[in-house]
Amino acid sequence: MTHALMLLQQCAYARVLCEFHRRRAPRGGSEGLVPTTADELVDSVRRLKACDQRWEGMRRMLGADDLARVRVARALYLQSMRRSAPARLGPWSDCCGVDCMPPSHLLEWVSYDLECMELADLEASMGPEEAALYACAMDRPT
């Protein structure tokens, strides 16, 4: 299970890098962020595809019960990341334009957005058993 969770996190980070580089892509004459090079964008897409392929291979090897536990554990991790968002994002607002945002902060915003979307997808696709496991785990004191 630990290997599957690590692989999911690698895939998530690869997704973040792709989106980060996409948002930093050159914009005709735009000031601010140093634009992503074509090589950086291509490398991030290649990395994401490789991660997705490794996850698909792992997913096919997992039994239904193991996959449910992995999905619930991932959702719990994403919940903890959501709770840490105020500390990670600080006083910045996503109303600020991308062009004036420091790269490290843009990376955090992209991470936060993708974590929220992944969590919503996981929660929406949980079967009854997964939802019950998830609810029980959410009710446990931390």
Side-chain angles (χ1 to χ4, degrees):
M1 185 157 123
T2 301
H3 183 66
L5 290 169
M6 287 173 45
L7 190 50
L8 281 173
Q9 185 57 31
Q10 288 173 0
C11 289
Y13 184 66
R15 241 177 249 102
V16 166
L17 284 179
C18 281
E19 183 61 17
F20 173 75
H21 288 309
R22 188 190 67 74
R23 290 187 187 192
R24 285 181 59 207
R27 295 183 182 94
S30 165
E31 298 293 323
L33 284 176
V34 175
T36 291
T37 66
D39 287 343
E40 288 173 315
L41 191 53
V42 168
D43 287 346
S44 66
V45 170
R46 188 177 303 125
R47 180 179 182 170
L48 177 58
K49 286 180 182 180
C51 282
D52 283 342
Q53 288 173 346
R54 286 194 308 272
W55 167 244
E56 279 305 308
M58 169 71 72
R59 190 181 62 75
R60 284 192 299 270
M61 291 176 20
L62 293 172
D65 289 343
D66 288 336
L67 186 56
R69 283 193 291 277
V70 166
R71 288 169 43 85
V72 168
R74 180 71 182 160
L76 291 170
Y77 172 75
L78 291 168
Q79 277 289 352
S80 72
M81 293 304 290
R82 238 175 58 178
R83 285 191 298 272
S84 74
R88 291 188 295 146
L89 300 175
W92 283 79
S93 166
D94 62 354
C95 296
C96 272
V98 169
D99 293 340
C100 66
M101 196 177 283
S104 62
H105 197 76
L106 176 60
L107 188 69
E108 286 298 337
W109 271 110
V110 169
S111 295
Y112 174 74
D113 287 346
L114 293 178
E115 289 160 0
C116 289
M117 288 189 300
E118 183 183 355
L119 179 59
D121 287 345
L122 275 172
E123 290 174 336
S125 67
M126 284 183 181
E129 294 86 16
E130 286 174 320
L133 283 171
Y134 184 55
C136 285
M138 292 289 289
D139 289 341
R140 276 187 233 139
T142 54

